[in-house]
């Protein structure tokens, strides 16, 4: 997709669609007067007829127009100006971009007013328009002969003002769009392609493109590292496991290091605790944590953030083959903790256990892990919200603030000691499930045994990582949820 900024007057920008934001207000916003005049006053008439309300994410297409460079206009509502947030802006611009991406070879221009709308600056609008143009026009129908959605042929950002700042905002938007689409692509691809080694191969390409250091630990190395908890999960599959480590050293040798750790179960059948078909149907998405880490790392590197960040991705397939691990097995994790297996479908925590302890020993200072870890978290918070869990409130506050700043929804759940009783082992140190109640929390408490007391936040993305249905503002399938938050977190980590 060709992406560029133009400072031509909006009336002269040539495009198949000109996307024009409007707000909920009594008068026509000042930025629309010139366009209104060029169109013979139709914008004003639509406003007085009540057709142009400006309500959040409401759209009004105008086709076959003359008098301006574009042949169609799509008005999109941003709601009340002083209530505008980045999350609302995203919703509106994603809706617009999805609406007009049903045909191939479309040339699109986003209009960006040169004044702030409420508290949202023109630069922020430029970034959002660029990202939404890229993410909204890409579908999950990767293998359909006739695609329902088509990436724009050309995306122009019609914004004039401080050139360097606007261009930087557009680059940022482009990098975020690329990262989110990378994460979505990895998750949307079928599990026959994205096996542990298939994922690692993609990671190598990404690392080369973004100038990330990469290391892939194969099964033999994992055995040398005594990662027996993770290896147990891989036992039932003919696909060998691996761990991908990518590194961005932008902060100098003495700066602290941030670890992003991702669950990469490339397919979760449940193992011997086999899932029923309905529950297994979307389990190609169980590597979304790893895909989110790789997406975020690609953006952190491309943005050249002055910070040291390492991404760790634990990749396995959970299958019920003849050599599968069994209920009642006792696993000795890399850090010596013994784990009693009560359910082979609680495999994500077994993978993360060893990956976290590897990162601890590598001397990383702070941790965030991302995992499609529990159905219980989806029951608790719904499909659109991630759960946060921590052993360090101030570090968690930083993560939550980063999420809030980018408009992604995350809600913290408690980690009280009373939950620990639920995972206390009878034969080994801990059990890999805590029973029916509080399942998202007992899973997090399990992980806490492997972070060596370092500041750590666990994000359970089981709900939002993979959407079950289309909405006007987002495609079903992989969402790329949390990529932006991680990039924002890395930015804050630097300062
Ligand atoms: N990958 C699943 C969790 C999941 C569920 C992700 C729904 C996305 C959507 C995880 O490995 C799992 O199976 N968890 C079990 C844990 C239980 C056996 C303690 C669950 O949530 O049922
Ligand atoms: Mn499972
Ligand atoms: Zn799983």
């Amino acid at each position: 997709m060709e992406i560029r900024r133009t400072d031509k007057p909006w009336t002269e920008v040539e495009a198949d669609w000109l996307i024009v934001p409007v707000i909920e207000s009594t008068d026509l916003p000042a930025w629309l007067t010139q366009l209104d005049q060029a169109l013979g006053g139709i914008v004003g008439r639509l406003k007085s007829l009540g057709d142009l309300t400006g309500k959040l994410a409401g759209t009004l297409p105008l086709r076959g127009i003359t008098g301006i460079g574009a042949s169609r206009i799509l008005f999109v509502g941003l709601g009340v100006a002083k209530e505008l947030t980045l999350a609302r802006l995203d919703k509106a611009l994603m809706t617009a971009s999805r609406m007009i991406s049903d045909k191939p070879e479309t040339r699109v221009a986003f209009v960006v007013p040169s004044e702030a709308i409420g508290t949202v600056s023109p630069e922020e609008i430029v970034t959002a328009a660029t990202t939404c143009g890229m993410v909204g026009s890409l579908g999950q129908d990767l293998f359909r002969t006739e695609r329902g959605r088509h990436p724009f042929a050309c995306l122009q950002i019609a914004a004039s003002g401080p050139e360097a700042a606007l261009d930087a905002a557009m680059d940022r938007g482009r990098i975020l769009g690329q990262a989110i689409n990378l994460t979505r692509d990895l998750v949307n691809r079928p599990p026959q392609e994205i096996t542990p080694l298939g994922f690692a191969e993609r990671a190598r390409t990404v690392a080369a493109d973004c100038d990330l250091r990469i290391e892939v630990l194969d099964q033999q190395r994992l055995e040398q590292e005594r990662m027996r908890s993770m290896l147990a999960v891989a036992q039932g599959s003919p696909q060998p496991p691996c761990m991908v480590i990518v590194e961005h050293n932008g902060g100098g040798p003495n700066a602290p290091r941030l670890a992003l750790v991702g669950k990469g179960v490339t397919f979760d059948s449940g193992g011997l605790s086999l899932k029923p078909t309905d529950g297994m149907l979307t389990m190609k998405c169980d590597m979304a944590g790893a895909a989110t880490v790789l997406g975020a790392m690609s953006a952190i590197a491309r943005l050249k953030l002055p910070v040291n960040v390492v991404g760790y991705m634990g990749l396995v397939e959970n299958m019920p083959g003849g050599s599968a691990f069994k209920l009642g097995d006792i696993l000795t994790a890399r850090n010596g903790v013994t784990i009693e297996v009560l359910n082979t479908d609680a495999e994500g925590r077994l993978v993360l256990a060893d990956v976290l302890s590897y990162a601890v020993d590598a001397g990383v200072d702070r941790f965030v892990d991302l995992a499609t870890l529990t159905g219980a978290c989806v029951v608790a918070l719904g499909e659109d919200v991630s759960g946060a869990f921590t052993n360090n409130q101030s570090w968690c506050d930083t993560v939550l603030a980063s999420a809030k700043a980018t408009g992604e929804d995350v809600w913290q759940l408690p980690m009280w000691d009373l939950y620990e009783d639920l995972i206390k082992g009878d034969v080994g140190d801990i059990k890999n499930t805590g029973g029916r109640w509080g399942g998202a929390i007992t899973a997090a408490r399990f992980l806490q045994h492997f972070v060596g007391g370092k500041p750590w936040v666990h994000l359970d993305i089981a709900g939002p990582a993979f959407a079950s249905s289309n909405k006007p503002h987002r495609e079903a399938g992989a969402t790329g949820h949390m990529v932006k938050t991680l990039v924002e977190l890395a930015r804050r980590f630097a300062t």
Side-chain angles (χ1 to χ4, degrees), residues 268 275 345 347:
D268 182 12
K275 287 179 184 293
D345 198 12
E347 84 297 341

Side-chain angles (χ1 to χ4, degrees), residues 263 268 275 282-283 285-286 343 345-349 372-376 378 432-435 462-463:
K263 168 178 174 183
D268 182 12
K275 287 179 184 293
T282 58
M283 282 302 130
C285 83
D286 215 19
N343 189 322
D345 198 12
E347 84 297 341
R349 65 199 75 181
T372 47
L373 203 64
T374 67
V378 193
N432 82 326
T433 74

